[in-house]
Amino acid sequence: MNGSLLLPFMLGIPLLWPCFTATENPKTEEVKHPAGSHLRMKRGWVWNQFFVPEEMNKSSHHIGQLRSDIDKGNNSFQYKLLGAGAGSVFVIDERTGDIYAVQKLDREEQSLYTLRAQVIDTTTGKAVEPESEFVIRVSDVNDNEPKFLDEPYEAVVPEMSPEGTLVIQVTASDADDPSSGNNARLLYSLLQGQPYFSIEPTTGVIRISSIMDRELQDEYWVIIQAKDMVGLPGALSGTTSVLIKLSDINDNKPIFKESLYRMTVSESAPSGTSIGKIEAYDNDIGENAEMDYSIEDDSQTFDIITNNETQEGIVILKKKVDFEHQNHYRIRAKVKNRYVDEQLMGYHAEASTTLIRVQVEDADEPPVFLRPDYVFDILEGQPQGSWVGVVLAIDPDQRRSPIKYSITRSKVFLIDDNGTIVTTNPLDRESTAWYNLSITATEKYNAQQISSVPVYVQVLDINDHAPEFSDYYETYVCENADSGQIIQTISAVDRDDSIEDHHFYFNLSVEDSKNSSFTIIDNRDNTAVILTNRNGFSLQEEPVLYISILIADNGIPSLTSTNTLTIHVCDCDDHGSAQTCSNKEFMLSMGLKTKVIIAVLMCIVIIFGFIFLILILKQQRKQTLFPEKGEDFGENIFRYDEEGGGEADTEAFDMGTLRSSTVLRAPRSRKRAAQVRSLYRQSLQVGPDSAIFRKFILEKLEEANTDPCAPPFDSLQTYAFEGTGSLAGSLSSIGSALSDQDENYDYLNELGPRFKRLACMFGSAMQPNN
């Protein structure tokens, strides 16, 4: 094809003027300018870029035209547009070659598009020109306002700073093209903050324009505006706020609130007693408000210290006062800041002062200890009565009363009248390392005058505890264990307190080191490992092994303890599984628990057997005390379910049954009445506690003799004790044997009217038998 492409520019603005670059193609092209003229050039020179303005709001905006110089206008050529953006952002009229933008262009999103153009003959379908690449650049318009990137802004500047002091720099950014006119050239201005602050228009640096005092106002809000296009009409703007705080400087001195302070102090007050407070105020804050109080005159009696928390001055006694010697004082105090810069000394040229009047009050003072507290120490293990320390209190009054000392609620220490503290028992630091005591001093002339002082006694450590295992070790070894196998790691503890770090040394005992199945290696870090010293163990022959381990400490003198390590032999698998050993541990623990339970049950059985034996012995002793009681009345229980018919009724019961007994007594011959009465009198004088039994029998006899209505039938007189070794024997007919058929009961008639009925009964009953 013997032609060239023409690019008529249809936009009448200078930004659409094309730029050209050279190629090695010898063809020529013709380019139509906006004025309608044409330029002829070699076909090897082709255009490669032109400009299009952004922010085109039309749906289809004509950009330019591609046209070949061989196109005669007969619609035989087809124009195609290729590349990124072709068809979506830019389209071409295939017949005329006109290029249109169909989307709104934003330079800030994409500033250039690289496209390719091609001309095709519609009759042959072949390209008549090679592809030509060109660039469409989007020119910038001022469509972005300035934005501050580092908001919010906050700055701190010292108060009383001179004019021109730099405060802060603010920076705004404009997304427009900085190379396109003034679209991105910014100008800063101050909307709020005058007359204290100013801003440099081009840099955004804020400076102080007037001296400010923090005590009047401690912070300021400043509003900054940034405009593009150097502030020309049509410029866009953005604003930001800056919080500027004034930091404090020490430009104010402290001043006393009062010009006169009145205080009182008792002459019994010890030195160091606080007698009052003074206070000053400072308008500054923080470190600049910290102050120190002092006495202007060099007083030997009073002093002032500063409370750093409340910034108050505390007036204290440097030494005790005596009402009889001087009863009032006048002192002058002053106050000044603690930290003052040299350049600010002009604000603190003259310190504020105040007057303090102190009135001394007379009082009977309690004893005063020479020190506010005492700290003593004593080695542990010292014998009873060991010296601990001495406290001393005196009576400040003129009479100088003797002092008596005592310790409040302490059984470990004693104190004598001289204030000497001694121990009552040896002390153990591991049990109690510190003792807090309260020593009371009392005047002997006035027991109401009491004072106390804290005493702290520290028990110093001596090396009196040997090291021992830090834990109870359950150690196991497999039957198939090899020599040199680690089976346990051990460590030690020491209850003593060492000046240096504890260090322990581990060794086997002499016996075990000579002939042992195990060996020990000291790790030098207060631990040691136990290793096997042979191959293989036997569960059947040696189920449990014991080794003695010596542990020594680094104390002075060094102490050594012997600790026994129990090692159980386990039946492990070929891999030496630890699971089997743990099962073994469980079985051993279960066996141990079973043995403990059996032992407890046996103890319980033994205790109950012992108690049962004691009860049997006691019962036998009771039976031997009353032998005849058991003999006469054992199992002799007679039950009567009917009432007797009176004195004439002799058939109501069988006298033979009444006289019978399961326990047969030996036959005894009945004695005569005179003998019975004589023996009766003798029986009252024998046996244990004869007076008690005599009284008891006489009361029963008197009760029976004085009761006229008491029938002899169905009446049972109970005698708990008839007398041990009674020569008269039993007087009851119940115990008489059936074999006593030859007994004569006529003597019953001689015993009195109460035995008359009994004599009739036995006399009439025995006659038929005889």
Side-chain angles (χ1 to χ4, degrees), residues 557-757:
S558 178
L559 296 181
T560 304
S561 65
T562 302
N563 301 265
T564 301
L565 182 65
T566 304
I567 304 175
H568 300 274
V569 179
C570 294
D571 184 11
C572 303
D573 55 19
D574 295 337
H575 302 286
S577 173
Q579 183 65 32
T580 308
C581 285
S582 33
N583 293 336
K584 182 72 176 178
E585 177 185 1
F586 175 75
M587 295 301 296
L588 289 174
S589 63
M590 290 298 296
L592 179 63
K593 291 181 180 178
T594 304
K595 293 179 180 178
V596 171
I597 293 174
I598 293 175
V600 172
L601 292 177
M602 291 180 64
C603 292
I604 293 175
V605 171
I606 293 173
I607 292 174
F608 275 104
F610 185 70
I611 295 174
F612 184 70
L613 180 61
I614 291 176
L615 293 177
I616 292 177
L617 293 176
K618 287 185 177 181
Q619 185 66 25
Q620 291 179 355
R621 288 187 60 188
K622 289 182 179 179
Q623 292 179 0
T624 56
L625 288 176
F626 307 101
E628 293 191 3
K629 178 179 179 181
E631 178 185 359
D632 297 340
F633 296 97
E635 300 181 2
N636 294 340
I637 300 175
F638 302 98
R639 183 179 182 86
Y640 300 96
D641 293 331
E642 61 180 358
E643 186 178 355
E647 294 183 1
D649 187 3
T650 60
E651 304 295 335
F653 52 89
D654 186 2
M655 291 300 298
T657 303
L658 185 63
R659 291 197 302 270
S660 64
S661 174
T662 58
V663 179
L664 298 179
R665 301 176 61 186
R668 299 178 182 176
S669 59
R670 294 293 181 182
K671 302 174 176 59
R672 296 293 178 227
Q675 294 176 337
V676 170
R677 284 192 293 270
S678 175
L679 293 175
Y680 168 72
R681 286 191 297 270
Q682 296 177 7
S683 67
L684 296 178
Q685 300 176 356
V686 297
D689 299 328
S690 57
I692 298 176
F693 294 115
R694 185 184 303 110
K695 181 179 179 182
F696 173 77
I697 295 174
L698 291 176
E699 289 178 354
K700 288 295 183 180
L701 182 61
E702 180 67 21
E703 181 181 348
N705 290 334
T706 57
D707 187 2
C709 298
F713 312 112
D714 302 337
S715 176
L716 179 63
Q717 298 293 333
T718 302
Y719 295 89
F721 184 70
E722 296 185 22
T724 302
S726 175
L727 300 177
S730 176
L731 300 179
S732 174
S733 61
I734 297 179
S736 300
L738 296 176
S739 59
D740 296 341
Q741 301 294 332
D742 55 349
E743 287 290 340
N744 186 3
Y745 295 97
D746 293 338
Y747 67 89
L748 294 176
N749 294 320
E750 301 176 1
L751 296 179
R754 289 291 181 183
F755 293 91
K756 182 178 181 180
R757 177 61 62 185

Side-chain angles (χ1 to χ4, degrees), residues 466-473 490-493 504-509 512 520 530 545-553 559-567:
E468 57 189 10
F469 281 153
S470 62
D471 197 359
Y472 176 75
Y473 296 104
I490 61 175
S491 61
V493 294
F504 305 114
Y505 306 92
F506 299 86
N507 290 287
L508 291 178
S509 65
D512 289 338
I520 187 171
I530 308 299
L545 300 173
Y546 303 94
I547 59 173
S548 298
I549 299 175
L550 302 179
I551 308 177
D553 59 17
L559 296 181
T560 304
S561 65
T562 302
N563 301 265
T564 301
L565 182 65
T566 304
I567 304 175

Side-chain angles (χ1 to χ4, degrees), residues 476-485 487 516-518 531-543 545 567-573:
Y476 303 92
V477 62
C478 294
E479 284 186 298
N480 55 357
D482 296 330
S483 177
Q485 180 178 339
I487 62 171
S516 176
S517 300
F518 305 93
L531 302 90
T532 57
N533 202 23
R534 71 180 188 186
N535 294 325
F537 295 85
S538 175
L539 177 61
Q540 299 298 330
E541 298 178 0
E542 295 178 306
L545 300 173
I567 304 175
H568 300 274
V569 179
C570 294
D571 184 11
C572 303
D573 55 19

